[in-house]
Amino acid sequence: MDAIYTAEALAIGDGRNGHVSTRDGLIDTDVRIPTEMGGPGGAPNPELLFAAGYAACFHSALQSVARAEKVKLEDTSVGARVHIGSNGQGGFGLAVELEVVIPHLDPEQAQRIADAAHQVCPYSNATRGNIDVTVRVVED
């Protein structure tokens, strides 16, 4: 792959109860295990950061597909839920639900565009075959 951009991040401290920062300084925050997992909470965690990144990336892919198909989208949004739980083998696994809102468009066409975005989104391509990802078009 010929990279057109490289993001660099560093995690220090005690893993999920540590600190993350990016080389460019745009992210510089503590991370904490969520209370639901027995941690102190009160700070972002890897799943929150992954959900935010996936939602933004997928939304960009959605817009790109629509432009390529000459479909005008207005007031769209993408919500991401990242679930973490036991993988049944002594470790942990992830699952993702993407909720796509595309108002003013026929539901069948909206789902088709969302499915096409799932084929081009880098996060979707990175996770395909590794974790369950559900893409669902919902009403606003």
Side-chain angles (χ1 to χ4, degrees):
M1 177 183 78
D2 290 327
I4 57 175
Y5 170 75
T6 300
E8 290 186 53
L10 177 67
I12 59 172
D14 190 15
R16 289 177 167 269
N17 284 319
H19 191 87
V20 295
S21 60
T22 56
R23 184 176 196 86
D24 58 15
L26 293 175
I27 296 175
D28 189 3
T29 186
D30 288 337
V31 289
R32 298 286 178 262
I33 296 172
T35 56
E36 296 86 346
M37 293 175 65
N45 60 65
E47 290 71 38
L48 284 174
L49 297 170
F50 186 66
Y54 205 155
C57 189
F58 194 90
H59 199 206
S60 182
L62 188 75
Q63 299 291 334
S64 177
V65 167
R67 276 191 305 278
E69 295 186 10
K70 308 271 193 271
V71 175
K72 184 174 179 177
L73 300 183
E74 296 177 345
D75 305 319
T76 59
S77 65
V78 175
R81 288 188 185 98
V82 173
H83 307 281
I84 185 170
S86 171
N87 68 2
Q89 300 171 352
F92 292 90
L94 300 174
V96 175
E97 296 176 69
L98 299 172
E99 288 189 349
V100 181
V101 175
I102 307 177
H104 321 296
L105 205 60
D106 171 80
E108 186 176 296
Q109 184 181 21
Q111 186 66 56
R112 186 182 55 71
I113 289 172
D115 290 342
H118 190 43
Q119 295 306 307
V120 300
C121 173
Y123 276 61
S124 293
N125 288 331
T127 59
R128 187 169 289 109
N130 298 313
I131 66 172
D132 290 333
V133 177
T134 304
V135 178
R136 185 174 57 249
V137 173
V138 299
E139 291 185 24
D140 190 17

